[in-house]
Amino acid sequence: MDMFGIMRFLFPIGFFAVLGVIIFTAVRGIIGWSRNNAQPRIPAEAKVAAKRADVSHHRHHTAGDHHHAHTSASTVYYITFEFLSGDRMELHVPAREYGLIAEGDGGILTSQGTRFISFERR
Protein backbone atom coordinates (compact mmCIF):
# COMPACT_ATOMS: atom_id res chain seq x y z
CA MET A 1 0.00 0.00 0.00
CA ASP A 2 1.47 3.37 -0.96
CA MET A 3 1.55 6.50 1.25
CA PHE A 4 -1.48 8.12 -0.43
CA GLY A 5 -3.53 4.97 0.10
CA ILE A 6 -2.72 4.99 3.80
CA MET A 7 -3.61 8.68 4.10
CA ARG A 8 -6.93 8.14 2.30
CA PHE A 9 -7.72 5.61 5.00
CA LEU A 10 -6.33 7.44 8.07
CA PHE A 11 -7.47 11.00 7.32
CA PRO A 12 -11.23 10.31 7.52
CA ILE A 13 -10.74 8.33 10.74
CA GLY A 14 -8.80 11.21 12.32
CA PHE A 15 -11.26 13.80 11.05
CA PHE A 16 -14.28 11.98 12.46
CA ALA A 17 -12.48 11.26 15.74
CA VAL A 18 -11.74 14.98 16.26
CA LEU A 19 -15.29 15.90 15.19
CA GLY A 20 -16.67 13.33 17.64
CA VAL A 21 -14.65 14.79 20.53
CA ILE A 22 -15.87 18.31 19.69
CA ILE A 23 -19.50 17.19 19.53
CA PHE A 24 -19.17 15.15 22.76
CA THR A 25 -17.67 18.13 24.62
CA ALA A 26 -20.38 20.49 23.36
CA VAL A 27 -23.20 18.10 24.29
CA ARG A 28 -21.69 17.55 27.75
CA GLY A 29 -21.50 21.32 28.29
CA ILE A 30 -25.10 21.84 27.19
CA ILE A 31 -26.31 19.03 29.46
CA GLY A 32 -24.46 20.54 32.45
CA TRP A 33 -25.83 24.00 31.68
CA SER A 34 -29.39 22.64 31.39
CA ARG A 35 -29.06 20.60 34.58
CA ASN A 36 -27.91 23.70 36.51
CA ASN A 37 -30.78 25.78 35.08
CA ALA A 38 -33.28 23.17 36.28
CA GLN A 39 -31.98 23.38 39.87
CA PRO A 40 -33.37 25.87 42.41
CA ARG A 41 -31.19 28.70 43.69
CA ILE A 42 -30.24 27.65 47.20
CA PRO A 43 -28.92 30.09 49.81
CA ALA A 44 -26.94 28.40 52.59
CA GLU A 45 -24.70 29.42 55.46
CA ALA A 46 -21.10 28.64 54.46
CA LYS A 47 -17.49 29.41 55.23
CA VAL A 48 -14.67 29.79 52.70
CA ALA A 49 -12.44 26.78 53.34
CA ALA A 50 -9.93 27.23 50.48
CA LYS A 51 -9.17 29.12 47.30
CA ARG A 52 -7.20 27.99 44.27
CA ALA A 53 -6.39 29.21 40.79
CA ASP A 54 -5.78 26.93 37.80
CA VAL A 55 -3.41 28.61 35.32
CA SER A 56 -3.09 27.25 31.78
CA HIS A 57 -0.19 28.34 29.58
CA HIS A 58 -0.51 28.39 25.80
CA ARG A 59 2.30 28.77 23.26
CA HIS A 60 1.44 30.16 19.83
CA HIS A 61 3.70 30.14 16.79
CA THR A 62 3.47 32.93 14.26
CA ALA A 63 2.43 31.57 10.86
CA GLY A 64 5.41 31.14 8.56
CA ASP A 65 7.91 32.18 11.25
CA HIS A 66 9.22 29.27 13.29
CA HIS A 67 11.70 31.42 15.23
CA HIS A 68 9.17 33.61 17.03
CA ALA A 69 6.36 32.52 19.27
CA HIS A 70 4.28 34.20 21.90
CA THR A 71 2.69 32.75 24.98
CA SER A 72 -0.53 33.50 26.76
CA ALA A 73 -2.10 32.27 29.95
CA SER A 74 -5.63 31.87 31.17
CA THR A 75 -6.72 31.45 34.77
CA VAL A 76 -9.80 29.74 36.18
CA TYR A 77 -10.66 30.50 39.81
CA TYR A 78 -12.18 28.09 42.33
CA ILE A 79 -13.36 28.48 45.92
CA THR A 80 -14.18 25.62 48.30
CA PHE A 81 -17.10 26.41 50.61
CA GLU A 82 -17.78 24.47 53.80
CA PHE A 83 -21.36 24.23 55.08
CA LEU A 84 -22.52 23.95 58.71
CA SER A 85 -23.00 20.20 58.17
CA GLY A 86 -19.29 19.85 57.34
CA ASP A 87 -19.95 19.12 53.66
CA ARG A 88 -17.77 20.95 51.15
CA MET A 89 -18.39 22.16 47.63
CA GLU A 90 -15.85 23.61 45.20
CA LEU A 91 -17.27 26.12 42.73
CA HIS A 92 -15.83 27.99 39.77
CA VAL A 93 -16.10 31.72 40.55
CA PRO A 94 -15.57 34.86 38.46
CA ALA A 95 -12.20 36.59 38.89
CA ARG A 96 -13.77 39.67 40.49
CA GLU A 97 -15.54 37.58 43.15
CA TYR A 98 -12.38 35.54 43.76
CA GLY A 99 -10.48 38.72 44.56
CA LEU A 100 -13.13 39.98 47.00
CA ILE A 101 -13.51 36.75 48.98
CA ALA A 102 -10.89 35.63 51.52
CA GLU A 103 -10.27 32.25 53.14
CA GLY A 104 -12.11 32.09 56.44
CA ASP A 105 -14.92 34.45 55.34
CA GLY A 106 -18.35 33.36 56.49
CA GLY A 107 -21.66 34.25 54.92
CA ILE A 108 -24.50 33.16 52.69
CA LEU A 109 -23.54 31.21 49.57
CA THR A 110 -26.16 31.10 46.84
CA SER A 111 -25.61 28.36 44.27
CA GLN A 112 -27.65 26.75 41.54
CA GLY A 113 -26.56 23.16 41.01
CA THR A 114 -22.81 23.42 40.43
CA ARG A 115 -23.04 27.11 39.48
CA PHE A 116 -21.85 29.91 41.78
CA ILE A 117 -24.40 32.72 42.03
CA SER A 118 -23.19 34.92 44.91
CA PHE A 119 -21.56 35.04 48.32
CA GLU A 120 -22.64 37.66 50.86
CA ARG A 121 -20.23 38.02 53.79
CA ARG A 122 -21.65 38.37 57.32
Side-chain angles (χ1 to χ4, degrees):
M1 192 174 243
D2 67 343
M3 189 63 153
F4 291 112
I6 293 172
M7 288 307 293
R8 266 188 230 151
F9 175 73
L10 291 180
F11 181 76
I13 292 173
F15 175 78
F16 287 113
V18 169
L19 184 63
V21 168
I22 291 169
I23 291 170
F24 174 77
T25 303
V27 168
R28 197 169 95 195
I30 291 168
I31 289 171
W33 179 78
S34 296
R35 190 173 293 143
N36 280 336
N37 283 344
Q39 298 294 319
R41 288 187 177 204
I42 300 174
E45 186 80 28
K47 181 177 118 181
V48 177
K51 293 172 63 173
R52 73 178 178 94
D54 184 15
V55 180
S56 299
H57 299 277
H58 311 281
R59 186 178 178 142
H60 309 278
H61 292 280
T62 306
D65 187 359
H66 300 291
H67 300 291
H68 294 92
H70 69 277
T71 60
S72 63
S74 60
T75 307
V76 179
Y77 299 98
Y78 298 94
I79 297 179
T80 300
F81 296 94
E82 184 173 335
F83 301 99
L84 297 176
S85 66
D87 291 337
R88 290 181 171 209
M89 175 189 284
E90 183 179 64
L91 297 173
H92 169 262
V93 298
R96 185 177 193 295
E97 296 289 333
Y98 183 86
L100 295 173
I101 298 171
E103 283 189 28
D105 282 352
I108 301 296
L109 167 68
T110 303
S111 61
Q112 186 177 23
T114 60
R115 183 182 299 143
F116 173 86
I117 302 298
S118 67
F119 181 72
E120 296 176 29
R121 280 182 294 290
R122 290 199 173 201

